[in-house]
Each structure stands twice: as C-alpha cells, then as structure tokens.
Amino acid sequence: MSTERTFIAIKPDGVQRGLIGEIIKRFEQKGFKLVAMKLIHASADHLRQHYADLKEKPFFSGLIKYMSSGPVVAMVWEGLGAVKTGRVMLGETNPADSKPGTIRGDYCIQIDRNIIHGSDSVDSAKEEISLWFTPEELVSYTSCAESWIY
Ligand code: UDP
Ligand code: MG
C-alpha cells in the first residue's frame, strides 16, 4: 500500500440530513489525514464534468439535478491505501447491497440518494481533486499519524 489521496464528497442529502459530522468523524478516527475541505453549492456544469464518465447513463440527468440541489462537503483525505479503503468505508453504490458498518449501509436506502461520493481509483482521484480544489487549497501540515511518538 502507498500513501494516496482520495476525493470524498458528502452529497446534498447527507448535508441536509445532518450527517456531516458523523461522516468526517469516520475518516478522521480511521486515521486518514484531512488535506482540504469546503462546503460548496456546485453548478450543474461542474457536476457534469465530475460525472463525465456517466453521461450516457439513463440516470445522468437525475444525478446532476440531485447533486446540484444543495451544498456538498468536498474533501481530500490522505493516507495508506486511502482510495481503496475509502471505498470500503462507503459501501456499495446501492445502499441495499452495503453492509452495516459502512456509511451507505448505515445511513441510506436508495441508490439515487446515497449520501456520499468517493473516488474509485488513484487516477480518478487525481482528476477529481484538481476539478474541485486549486493546488493552494491542498494544505500541507504534519498529522500525528505521520510522526508516531511510540
Ligand atoms: N446512481 C444512480 N442510479 C444508478 C447508479 C448510480 O442514481 O443506477 C448515482 C448514485 O448517486 C451513484 C452515482 O450515480 O453514487 C455515481 O455512480 P457510480 O456508478 O460511479 O457509483 P459510485 O462510484 O458513487 O459508488
Ligand atoms: Mg463512481
């Protein structure tokens, strides 16, 4: 495993339902390092870019409407295997297939209201991070997990 960065976003339903703290808590307590974060009401154009891979899917227009319906919390988390482990923490795309203990398994029931996004590969994470954040917004500092006392 190597140190990676992943793009995680709490979707408008997660924000509206008051799940911001709970979701951040899971990534923080897991031991990942928060590198960037902002609350942003993204435009439909921005979201069409974010989900460009899915533009031929029948659910695409509904997805853009959903994602632009309110603010999202956009974040970058860093750590060993952050992309893959982040996806495990999210659960499956369809909450009905997500195990209890995962974010989607614990907090939602509908595939089209599944409260959280996470990058699915290191390459897509790089693209997503550069779409949502400027290089200056990625903050450089040392977290305790990078300088063990014992
Ligand atoms: N989605 C949907 N209906 C579907 C499949 C996906 O509304 O049948 C939405 C859902 O919000 C999902 C997003 O489109 O999170 C992106 O789909 P993807 O296959 O990339 O799933 P993810 O990577 O988010 O698990
Ligand atoms: Mg995806």
Side-chain angles (χ1 to χ4, degrees):
M1 275 205 306
S2 54
T3 298
E4 304 165 349
R5 286 178 172 180
T6 189
F7 175 70
I8 300 290
I10 305 172
K11 296 179 175 182
D13 51 339
V15 173
Q16 190 173 42
R17 291 178 51 204
L19 294 170
I20 298 172
E22 177 56 39
I23 289 168
I24 291 175
K25 180 180 165 191
R26 291 189 179 211
F27 281 88
E28 190 177 38
Q29 294 192 339
K30 178 73 175 166
F32 290 128
K33 174 184 170 182
L34 183 63
V35 168
M37 176 164 71
K38 62 181 158 195
L39 181 71
I40 173 175
H41 194 148
S43 69
D45 270 352
H46 182 91
L47 291 158
R48 274 186 216 108
Q49 263 184 276
H50 173 77
Y51 281 125
D53 290 356
L54 301 174
K55 62 175 185 293
E56 308 298 338
K57 301 282 185 192
F59 56 83
F60 186 70
S61 63
L63 174 62
I64 301 304
K65 207 171 165 194
Y66 157 50
M67 289 295 294
S68 58
S69 67
V72 304
V73 177
M75 298 175 280
V76 177
W77 289 91
E78 182 184 280
L80 284 182
V83 171
K84 183 164 178 272
T85 300
R87 291 286 295 196
V88 173
M89 290 166 67
L90 260 59
E92 301 301 318
T93 303
N94 189 346
D97 299 328
S98 301
K99 291 197 170 62
T102 65
I103 293 166
R104 287 168 174 166
D106 285 349
Y107 298 117
C108 55
I109 49 181
Q110 280 179 238
I111 193 168
D112 56 354
R113 293 290 182 276
N114 61 357
I115 74 166
I116 188 164
H117 167 83
S119 307
D120 63 6
S121 69
V122 172
D123 284 345
S124 64
K126 282 182 185 152
E127 279 181 33
E128 291 170 1
I129 290 167
S130 67
L131 177 65
W132 289 83
F133 292 99
T134 64
E136 297 74 39
E137 288 174 318
L138 305 172
V139 180
S140 180
Y141 66 102
T142 304
S143 75
C144 78
E146 294 167 289
S147 59
W148 297 112
I149 296 167
Y150 300 113

Short mmCIF file of all heavy atoms in Angstrom, two decimals, residues 6-11 15 20 24 34-42 46 71-77 117 128-129 131-133:
data_model
loop_
_atom_site.label_atom_id
_atom_site.label_comp_id
_atom_site.label_asym_id
_atom_site.label_seq_id
_atom_site.Cartn_x
_atom_site.Cartn_y
_atom_site.Cartn_z
N THR A 6 -7.58 10.71 -1.77
CA THR A 6 -8.87 10.41 -2.38
C THR A 6 -9.81 11.59 -2.22
O THR A 6 -9.70 12.35 -1.25
CB THR A 6 -9.48 9.12 -1.78
OG1 THR A 6 -10.63 8.75 -2.54
CG2 THR A 6 -9.86 9.29 -0.31
N PHE A 7 -10.70 11.74 -3.20
CA PHE A 7 -11.71 12.81 -3.14
C PHE A 7 -13.01 12.22 -2.59
O PHE A 7 -13.55 11.27 -3.15
CB PHE A 7 -11.95 13.40 -4.52
CG PHE A 7 -13.05 14.42 -4.54
CD1 PHE A 7 -12.88 15.66 -3.93
CD2 PHE A 7 -14.28 14.13 -5.12
CE1 PHE A 7 -13.91 16.59 -3.90
CE2 PHE A 7 -15.31 15.06 -5.11
CZ PHE A 7 -15.13 16.29 -4.49
N ILE A 8 -13.45 12.78 -1.48
CA ILE A 8 -14.68 12.35 -0.82
C ILE A 8 -15.64 13.54 -0.79
O ILE A 8 -15.23 14.66 -0.46
CB ILE A 8 -14.40 11.89 0.64
CG1 ILE A 8 -13.41 10.70 0.68
CG2 ILE A 8 -15.70 11.57 1.38
CD1 ILE A 8 -13.95 9.39 0.16
N ALA A 9 -16.91 13.31 -1.14
CA ALA A 9 -17.88 14.41 -1.05
C ALA A 9 -19.15 13.92 -0.36
O ALA A 9 -19.70 12.86 -0.71
CB ALA A 9 -18.22 14.93 -2.45
N ILE A 10 -19.58 14.68 0.64
CA ILE A 10 -20.87 14.42 1.27
C ILE A 10 -21.91 15.09 0.38
O ILE A 10 -21.85 16.30 0.12
CB ILE A 10 -20.92 14.98 2.71
CG1 ILE A 10 -19.76 14.41 3.53
CG2 ILE A 10 -22.28 14.65 3.35
CD1 ILE A 10 -19.59 15.04 4.91
N LYS A 11 -22.83 14.29 -0.16
CA LYS A 11 -23.79 14.77 -1.16
C LYS A 11 -24.88 15.63 -0.49
O LYS A 11 -25.01 15.62 0.75
CB LYS A 11 -24.38 13.56 -1.89
CG LYS A 11 -23.33 12.77 -2.69
CD LYS A 11 -23.94 11.57 -3.38
CE LYS A 11 -22.93 10.86 -4.28
NZ LYS A 11 -23.53 9.70 -5.00
N VAL A 15 -25.75 16.30 3.63
CA VAL A 15 -25.66 17.62 4.29
C VAL A 15 -27.01 17.95 4.93
O VAL A 15 -27.09 18.31 6.11
CB VAL A 15 -25.25 18.71 3.27
CG1 VAL A 15 -25.34 20.09 3.90
CG2 VAL A 15 -23.84 18.43 2.75
N ILE A 20 -22.90 15.43 8.28
CA ILE A 20 -21.53 15.90 8.00
C ILE A 20 -20.56 15.43 9.09
O ILE A 20 -19.53 14.83 8.81
CB ILE A 20 -21.47 17.44 7.88
CG1 ILE A 20 -22.32 17.93 6.71
CG2 ILE A 20 -20.03 17.91 7.71
CD1 ILE A 20 -22.45 19.47 6.66
N ILE A 24 -17.35 12.84 8.63
CA ILE A 24 -15.97 13.30 8.85
C ILE A 24 -15.32 12.51 9.98
O ILE A 24 -14.16 12.11 9.90
CB ILE A 24 -15.95 14.82 9.16
CG1 ILE A 24 -16.34 15.60 7.89
CG2 ILE A 24 -14.58 15.26 9.67
CD1 ILE A 24 -16.45 17.10 8.11
N LEU A 34 -6.90 14.85 6.86
CA LEU A 34 -7.69 15.80 6.07
C LEU A 34 -6.75 16.81 5.43
O LEU A 34 -5.99 17.49 6.12
CB LEU A 34 -8.69 16.51 6.99
CG LEU A 34 -9.65 17.49 6.31
CD1 LEU A 34 -10.57 16.78 5.31
CD2 LEU A 34 -10.49 18.21 7.37
N VAL A 35 -6.81 16.88 4.09
CA VAL A 35 -5.88 17.75 3.36
C VAL A 35 -6.59 18.99 2.82
O VAL A 35 -5.99 20.04 2.64
CB VAL A 35 -5.24 16.93 2.20
CG1 VAL A 35 -4.51 17.82 1.22
CG2 VAL A 35 -4.31 15.86 2.76
N ALA A 36 -7.90 18.87 2.56
CA ALA A 36 -8.68 20.01 2.05
C ALA A 36 -10.16 19.75 2.31
O ALA A 36 -10.59 18.60 2.34
CB ALA A 36 -8.44 20.20 0.56
N MET A 37 -10.90 20.86 2.51
CA MET A 37 -12.34 20.70 2.75
C MET A 37 -13.07 22.01 2.45
O MET A 37 -12.59 23.08 2.81
CB MET A 37 -12.60 20.31 4.20
CG MET A 37 -14.07 20.21 4.56
SD MET A 37 -14.37 19.34 6.10
CE MET A 37 -13.75 20.52 7.28
N LYS A 38 -14.23 21.92 1.79
CA LYS A 38 -15.07 23.12 1.64
C LYS A 38 -16.53 22.72 1.43
O LYS A 38 -16.82 21.67 0.87
CB LYS A 38 -14.59 24.01 0.50
CG LYS A 38 -14.61 23.39 -0.87
CD LYS A 38 -14.06 24.41 -1.89
CE LYS A 38 -13.55 23.72 -3.13
NZ LYS A 38 -12.72 24.57 -3.98
N LEU A 39 -17.42 23.62 1.90
CA LEU A 39 -18.85 23.49 1.65
C LEU A 39 -19.13 24.28 0.39
O LEU A 39 -18.84 25.47 0.32
CB LEU A 39 -19.62 24.07 2.84
CG LEU A 39 -21.15 24.01 2.76
CD1 LEU A 39 -21.65 22.58 2.91
CD2 LEU A 39 -21.77 24.88 3.86
N ILE A 40 -19.70 23.61 -0.63
CA ILE A 40 -19.87 24.28 -1.92
C ILE A 40 -21.17 23.83 -2.59
O ILE A 40 -21.48 22.64 -2.62
CB ILE A 40 -18.63 24.01 -2.82
CG1 ILE A 40 -18.83 24.54 -4.24
CG2 ILE A 40 -18.25 22.54 -2.85
CD1 ILE A 40 -17.60 24.40 -5.14
N HIS A 41 -21.92 24.82 -3.08
CA HIS A 41 -23.10 24.50 -3.88
C HIS A 41 -22.63 24.47 -5.34
O HIS A 41 -22.50 25.51 -5.98
CB HIS A 41 -24.20 25.55 -3.65
CG HIS A 41 -25.54 25.12 -4.16
ND1 HIS A 41 -26.71 25.49 -3.57
CD2 HIS A 41 -25.87 24.31 -5.19
CE1 HIS A 41 -27.74 24.94 -4.24
NE2 HIS A 41 -27.24 24.22 -5.22
N ALA A 42 -22.35 23.28 -5.84
CA ALA A 42 -21.72 23.13 -7.16
C ALA A 42 -22.73 23.37 -8.27
O ALA A 42 -23.92 23.04 -8.14
CB ALA A 42 -21.11 21.74 -7.28
N HIS A 46 -20.33 22.04 -13.43
CA HIS A 46 -19.23 21.45 -12.66
C HIS A 46 -19.50 19.96 -12.40
O HIS A 46 -18.62 19.11 -12.55
CB HIS A 46 -19.11 22.23 -11.35
CG HIS A 46 -17.99 21.78 -10.46
ND1 HIS A 46 -16.73 22.34 -10.52
CD2 HIS A 46 -17.93 20.83 -9.50
CE1 HIS A 46 -15.95 21.75 -9.64
NE2 HIS A 46 -16.64 20.83 -9.00
N PRO A 71 -25.89 22.28 -1.17
CA PRO A 71 -24.43 22.23 -0.98
C PRO A 71 -23.91 20.82 -0.71
O PRO A 71 -24.62 19.97 -0.16
CB PRO A 71 -24.20 23.13 0.23
CG PRO A 71 -25.49 23.18 0.95
CD PRO A 71 -26.57 22.99 -0.08
N VAL A 72 -22.67 20.61 -1.09
CA VAL A 72 -21.96 19.37 -0.77
C VAL A 72 -20.71 19.73 0.05
O VAL A 72 -20.24 20.87 -0.03
CB VAL A 72 -21.53 18.59 -2.04
CG1 VAL A 72 -22.74 18.27 -2.92
CG2 VAL A 72 -20.49 19.34 -2.84
N VAL A 73 -20.22 18.78 0.83
CA VAL A 73 -18.94 18.99 1.52
C VAL A 73 -17.88 18.22 0.74
O VAL A 73 -17.90 16.99 0.69
CB VAL A 73 -18.99 18.50 2.98
CG1 VAL A 73 -17.61 18.66 3.64
CG2 VAL A 73 -20.02 19.27 3.77
N ALA A 74 -17.00 18.97 0.08
CA ALA A 74 -15.93 18.39 -0.73
C ALA A 74 -14.67 18.28 0.12
O ALA A 74 -14.32 19.23 0.81
CB ALA A 74 -15.67 19.26 -1.95
N MET A 75 -14.05 17.11 0.08
CA MET A 75 -12.88 16.88 0.94
C MET A 75 -11.81 16.08 0.21
O MET A 75 -12.12 15.29 -0.68
CB MET A 75 -13.29 16.07 2.18
CG MET A 75 -14.29 16.74 3.07
SD MET A 75 -14.83 15.65 4.43
CE MET A 75 -16.04 14.64 3.56
N VAL A 76 -10.57 16.26 0.67
CA VAL A 76 -9.49 15.38 0.24
C VAL A 76 -8.92 14.73 1.50
O VAL A 76 -8.58 15.42 2.46
CB VAL A 76 -8.38 16.16 -0.50
CG1 VAL A 76 -7.22 15.24 -0.86
CG2 VAL A 76 -8.94 16.84 -1.74
N TRP A 77 -8.86 13.41 1.49
CA TRP A 77 -8.29 12.64 2.61
C TRP A 77 -7.08 11.87 2.10
O TRP A 77 -7.10 11.34 0.98
CB TRP A 77 -9.33 11.67 3.19
CG TRP A 77 -10.42 12.37 3.95
CD1 TRP A 77 -11.62 12.81 3.45
CD2 TRP A 77 -10.43 12.72 5.34
NE1 TRP A 77 -12.37 13.41 4.45
CE2 TRP A 77 -11.66 13.37 5.61
CE3 TRP A 77 -9.51 12.55 6.39
CZ2 TRP A 77 -12.00 13.84 6.89
CZ3 TRP A 77 -9.85 13.03 7.66
CH2 TRP A 77 -11.07 13.66 7.90
N HIS A 117 -19.91 10.45 -1.98
CA HIS A 117 -19.09 10.08 -3.14
C HIS A 117 -17.67 9.76 -2.68
O HIS A 117 -17.16 10.41 -1.77
CB HIS A 117 -19.03 11.24 -4.14
CG HIS A 117 -17.97 11.04 -5.19
ND1 HIS A 117 -18.18 10.27 -6.31
CD2 HIS A 117 -16.67 11.44 -5.24
CE1 HIS A 117 -17.06 10.23 -7.03
NE2 HIS A 117 -16.14 10.94 -6.40
N GLU A 128 -10.39 14.26 -9.97
CA GLU A 128 -11.44 14.87 -9.16
C GLU A 128 -10.88 15.94 -8.23
O GLU A 128 -11.47 17.02 -8.09
CB GLU A 128 -12.18 13.78 -8.37
CG GLU A 128 -12.98 12.86 -9.29
CD GLU A 128 -13.55 11.63 -8.61
OE1 GLU A 128 -13.36 11.45 -7.39
OE2 GLU A 128 -14.20 10.83 -9.30
N ILE A 129 -9.74 15.67 -7.63
CA ILE A 129 -9.13 16.65 -6.72
C ILE A 129 -8.81 17.94 -7.48
O ILE A 129 -9.09 19.04 -7.02
CB ILE A 129 -7.87 16.05 -6.03
CG1 ILE A 129 -8.29 14.98 -5.03
CG2 ILE A 129 -7.06 17.15 -5.33
CD1 ILE A 129 -7.16 14.10 -4.52
N LEU A 131 -10.30 18.99 -10.14
CA LEU A 131 -11.55 19.66 -10.55
C LEU A 131 -12.15 20.48 -9.41
O LEU A 131 -12.71 21.54 -9.62
CB LEU A 131 -12.55 18.60 -11.03
CG LEU A 131 -13.94 19.11 -11.43
CD1 LEU A 131 -13.86 20.02 -12.66
CD2 LEU A 131 -14.88 17.94 -11.71
N TRP A 132 -12.03 19.97 -8.18
CA TRP A 132 -12.72 20.59 -7.03
C TRP A 132 -11.84 21.55 -6.24
O TRP A 132 -12.35 22.40 -5.50
CB TRP A 132 -13.27 19.50 -6.10
CG TRP A 132 -14.45 18.76 -6.67
CD1 TRP A 132 -14.40 17.71 -7.54
CD2 TRP A 132 -15.84 19.02 -6.44
NE1 TRP A 132 -15.68 17.30 -7.84
CE2 TRP A 132 -16.58 18.08 -7.18
CE3 TRP A 132 -16.53 19.96 -5.66
CZ2 TRP A 132 -17.98 18.04 -7.19
CZ3 TRP A 132 -17.93 19.92 -5.65
CH2 TRP A 132 -18.63 18.98 -6.42
N PHE A 133 -10.51 21.40 -6.33
CA PHE A 133 -9.62 22.22 -5.50
C PHE A 133 -8.47 22.79 -6.33
O PHE A 133 -7.99 22.15 -7.26
CB PHE A 133 -9.02 21.37 -4.37
CG PHE A 133 -10.02 20.94 -3.33
CD1 PHE A 133 -10.59 19.67 -3.37
CD2 PHE A 133 -10.43 21.82 -2.32
CE1 PHE A 133 -11.54 19.27 -2.42
CE2 PHE A 133 -11.36 21.44 -1.37
CZ PHE A 133 -11.93 20.16 -1.41
#
